[in-house]
Amino acid sequence: VRDTESSVKSGILRVNITSVNDAPIFLDLQNKSFNISQEFYYIINSSDEENNVPFVFNITFVSCATEDWTSRGSTNCELFNSSYYTNTSTSLTINFTPTKNDVGAYIINFTVSDSNTSPVSSRSKLMNFTVLDVNSAPNYTNVCGSSRNSTENSVLFCYINSSDTGEKNNLTFVS
């Protein structure tokens, strides 16, 4: 250090830099949309600056909005359970086949934590998984009951009942 009226004065400044445990990051986690009855296979990779592996993954279903005709009623929001995902030291794999009852939008909280013991560092990310309906043929629930035989030149009354889960409009019968 020097000012205009004195000579140069030198000294040693000691600096202590302490490392910090950074949280792992998700490399490829993103919102997903997929169809019912088709296998959903998704690998989520993570990394950590300090390489504190293995990672611990946690999945929490925050909320959902399912179709009115499902039995979930937007309250049973667990789209898949732990038997449908596995993890390695740095990745999480989800593998399941959604059903018609799963149609809807799900908000899911994904958390990854490192294996450092002091302190553990975590990162969470909210994602939207949407299960899309696929149009399927209607089901006949009753075709003429037990009255399927008739005599020539006589009237036959036949009631046909059909349903189509997920159909929001009326069904049309054509003869």
Side-chain angles (χ1 to χ4, degrees), residues 67-86:
E67 291 293 337
D68 295 337
W69 41 262
T70 70
S71 65
R72 288 184 179 275
S74 296
T75 57
N76 177 8
C77 295
E78 186 176 273
L79 181 58
F80 50 86
N81 61 42
S82 60
S83 66
Y84 294 107
Y85 56 89
T86 57

Side-chain angles (χ1 to χ4, degrees), residues 109-136:
N109 185 30
F110 290 88
T111 302
V112 60
S113 304
D114 64 20
S115 61
N116 192 357
T117 56
S118 180
V120 170
S121 192
S122 299
R123 183 175 315 272
S124 293
K125 195 170 182 182
L126 288 175
M127 302 309 301
N128 187 350
F129 278 23
T130 303
V131 180
L132 304 170
D133 194 12
V134 174
N135 191 18
S136 54

Side-chain angles (χ1 to χ4, degrees), residues 27-151:
L27 298 176
D28 49 10
L29 181 59
Q30 50 190 293
N31 295 327
K32 290 289 182 182
S33 293
F34 43 94
N35 293 333
I36 63 167
S37 304
Q38 292 181 347
E39 181 182 33
F40 177 74
Y41 185 84
Y42 185 39
I43 299 174
I44 302 165
N45 294 298
S46 295
S47 72
D48 183 51
E49 185 177 319
E50 297 86 18
N51 202 29
N52 292 325
V53 294
F55 297 142
V56 175
F57 293 92
N58 186 42
I59 297 174
T60 305
F61 295 90
V62 177
S63 65
C64 62
T66 58
E67 291 293 337
D68 295 337
W69 41 262
T70 70
S71 65
R72 288 184 179 275
S74 296
T75 57
N76 177 8
C77 295
E78 186 176 273
L79 181 58
F80 50 86
N81 61 42
S82 60
S83 66
Y84 294 107
Y85 56 89
T86 57
N87 61 289
T88 65
S89 62
T90 60
S91 68
L92 174 73
T93 302
I94 302 169
N95 186 11
F96 75 106
T97 302
T99 66
K100 192 144 184 102
N101 195 49
D102 297 326
V103 172
Y106 298 79
I107 304 296
I108 306 171
N109 185 30
F110 290 88
T111 302
V112 60
S113 304
D114 64 20
S115 61
N116 192 357
T117 56
S118 180
V120 170
S121 192
S122 299
R123 183 175 315 272
S124 293
K125 195 170 182 182
L126 288 175
M127 302 309 301
N128 187 350
F129 278 23
T130 303
V131 180
L132 304 170
D133 194 12
V134 174
N135 191 18
S136 54
N139 297 315
Y140 287 105
T141 55
N142 185 2
V143 179
C144 301
S146 61
S147 303
R148 293 193 181 122
N149 296 321
S150 180
T151 307

